[in-house]
Amino acid sequence: RRNLRALLEGSEIMESHKHCGKVQDPYSLRCMPQVHGATRDALRFASEVVTREINSVTDNPTVFLGEAGGPADLVSGGNFHGQPVALALDLAAIAVAELANISERRVEQLVNPMLSSGLTPFLAPESGLHSGFMIAQVAAAALVSENKILAHPASVDSIPSSAGREDHVSMGSIAAYKLATVVENTANALAIELICACAGIDQRRPLRSTSAVEAAHTSVRQVVPELVEDRPLYRDFAAVREIVRRGALIQAVERVTGPLA
């Protein structure tokens, strides 16, 4: 919530909609602190688990050297079992998938003329002749749909092996593989939202947003030009995904706001 206030306080665009007649904003806007905050909490927990486990003893057997040259104890235990990490990675996949999920709903708010408070259909400069960002929303929906499948926890599965000795395993490697795919899909979904949001800002001119939001807009526009007619958008998505991934976007914003929480 503190981050959103820092980003939005004093926006001319926001103030222009203060008396727009809407009783409430949709959850994808109104509940961002709760949804994004829950994801951050889950990722913090996952990070703590992985950090703890990666610094733990996972040998099998575990060797305890005897004192004063005495015999060593060899204990065959289960510290190697990946259940803590598998559960944490499954939770992380669910948490990251939700960022894409709510992001796609905000894209719908931008491209749907029934919801966008005066923006052109699909943010197309020439509505009716161009598709604008219609396919961008379709792509975001496809990414979200794939994430929903990948968010099914791997850690609830187990197939016995080794003649029944290894009769319960964590499937943590599968959880990690799925998480990596969810993260990639979500990065693409967020890039789509950023591009659509910038197109929405362009249509609100001459009104200005806050200095922080305008810095983000400038950062995007440095790699993606304004859409004036239909063009393939995959290069645009990749370019914005890259400035998010390497931290250029957040750095541009924090030069205005100072460090965000």
Side-chain angles (χ1 to χ4, degrees), residues 46-216:
S47 177
E48 290 171 356
V49 170
V50 172
T51 300
R52 181 181 69 232
E53 293 300 318
I54 207 170
N55 287 290
S56 297
V57 174
T58 57
D59 297 331
N60 186 57
T62 304
V63 180
F64 296 91
L65 297 177
E67 294 183 6
D73 289 329
L74 276 69
V75 179
S76 180
N79 291 334
F80 56 84
H81 200 290
Q83 193 74 7
V85 174
L87 289 172
L89 296 179
D90 279 337
L91 176 60
I94 293 169
V96 174
E98 276 301 281
L99 288 181
N101 200 343
I102 196 171
S103 172
E104 183 277 328
R105 289 294 78 201
R106 291 192 293 264
V107 172
E108 172 71 3
Q109 293 291 322
L110 287 162
V111 301
N112 187 336
M114 301 298 293
L115 304 172
S116 65
S117 300
L119 300 177
T120 61
F122 306 110
L123 298 168
E126 298 290 339
S127 299
L129 298 177
H130 297 281
S131 296
F133 292 95
M134 179 186 70
I135 297 301
Q137 187 269 326
V138 171
L143 292 165
V144 167
S145 183
E146 183 181 8
N147 278 356
K148 289 176 182 178
I149 295 171
L150 294 170
H152 179 84
S155 55
V156 300
D157 187 26
S158 180
I159 299 177
S161 61
S162 192
R165 281 309 91 188
E166 299 172 5
D167 60 344
H168 181 277
V169 294
S170 71
M171 297 296 182
S173 62
I174 306 302
Y177 177 79
K178 294 194 302 90
L179 172 59
T181 306
V182 168
V183 169
E184 183 69 15
N185 287 347
T186 299
N188 282 310
L190 295 177
I192 289 171
E193 182 186 0
L194 279 165
I195 290 172
C196 291
C198 286
I201 289 174
D202 292 334
Q203 290 197 20
R204 296 300 187 197
R205 298 302 190 211
L207 295 176
R208 307 284 295 178
S209 188
T210 65
S211 298
V213 173
E214 293 293 343

